[in-house]
Every structure is written in C-alpha cells, then in structure tokens.
Amino acid sequence: MRRVGVALAVLVVLAGCSGALHEQPDTSIDDTGDGQFTGEVVPEAPPNATAVNYTDERVQANEYLREVVRKAGNESADGYVGVPDSAVEETKADLAELPLYTIEESESSEYDWGYYVRYEGTVVRVVFAVLD
C-alpha cells in the first residue's frame, strides 16, 4: 500500500512539472536566482506571432539568448543555457524588448507561448525562467 502512495506522489509531481513550459509566463517575478533559457526547434512560428531574426540587434544584445538559439538550431534539438543570477535582471530587460507570443494570442492549443527566433532556416521557440 505504501508503494502505491509513493508512486502516486511521484506521478503528481511529474504531472505538475510537465506542464510548466506550456503555461503562461509570470512576468511579475521580482526575486532573482539563477535563470535558464530553453530553446526548442519547432516546425514553424504561430501564424500571428512575430518571429525575429537571429541577426536582430535585440537578439544579439543578450549572449545567453544567442547561445541557446545557436545550440537548439545547430543540434535540431532542445538547448539549455544557464544565466547567472548577476545577469538575470539584464536578461529580463533584454527580453522585454522582444515580441512575446502568449497563450491569449493563440487561436488553438497547437502553439506554445515564448519568443520565436529564426535561425539559419529553422525556427526556435525560446523560454526563460528564473530558478528558485
């Protein structure tokens, strides 16, 4: 009986984690810790999203953003880049300059929220999170 309880607890925790990248971002986060970019190659940007080019000065302004887009784009897989806590506030300010595609703009659940960047013929969806 105890094994069932432990297994159920693990499933609940995992279920909560699996939806984290699909939820709307919390732009009111004030506390700082280390941050993390996640980049994911996607077939296309949402029809009503603005995908910026990798060469755009707003993308070029942040070394961590550039790195995650390159990693994901070159490997055609998910890329992860850590951002030290000393650079989190500057990173958040840099991202505020980019168009963010939100769930409210979505006409279907086919697309996830994030920043969309075009890199060498691919589209990379980028998400930034401040870690506790």
Side-chain angles (χ1 to χ4, degrees):
M1 188 64 156
R2 182 172 182 204
R3 287 184 194 173
V4 172
V6 171
L8 182 59
V10 169
L11 286 174
V12 168
V13 169
L14 290 176
C17 292
S18 68
L21 286 180
H22 300 285
E23 294 174 1
Q24 185 67 21
D26 181 2
T27 56
S28 66
I29 297 173
D30 290 327
D31 46 327
T32 57
D34 290 336
Q36 178 175 296
F37 273 111
T38 302
E40 167 191 27
V41 173
V42 294
E44 63 184 2
N48 54 342
T50 301
V52 296
N53 289 317
Y54 178 77
T55 57
D56 187 296
E57 64 186 30
R58 296 170 294 176
V59 174
Q60 294 300 306
N62 189 283
E63 66 182 289
Y64 306 104
L65 175 58
R66 290 192 318 261
E67 184 178 349
V68 77
V69 171
R70 273 195 320 267
K71 276 186 172 183
N74 289 332
E75 298 172 14
S76 295
D78 291 355
Y80 302 94
V81 172
V83 177
D85 62 348
S86 61
V88 165
E89 290 303 317
E90 181 179 343
T91 295
K92 288 170 32 178
D94 290 342
L95 290 174
E97 299 298 317
L98 291 169
L100 173 64
Y101 178 78
T102 63
I103 291 175
E104 284 83 26
E105 296 169 307
S106 179
E107 295 175 3
S108 72
S109 61
E110 180 180 354
Y111 300 101
D112 294 322
W113 70 271
Y115 303 92
Y116 286 83
V117 180
R118 292 192 188 285
Y119 177 78
E120 296 183 357
T122 62
V123 177
V124 177
R125 181 179 74 93
V126 177
V127 175
F128 179 70
V130 177
L131 308 173
D132 292 328

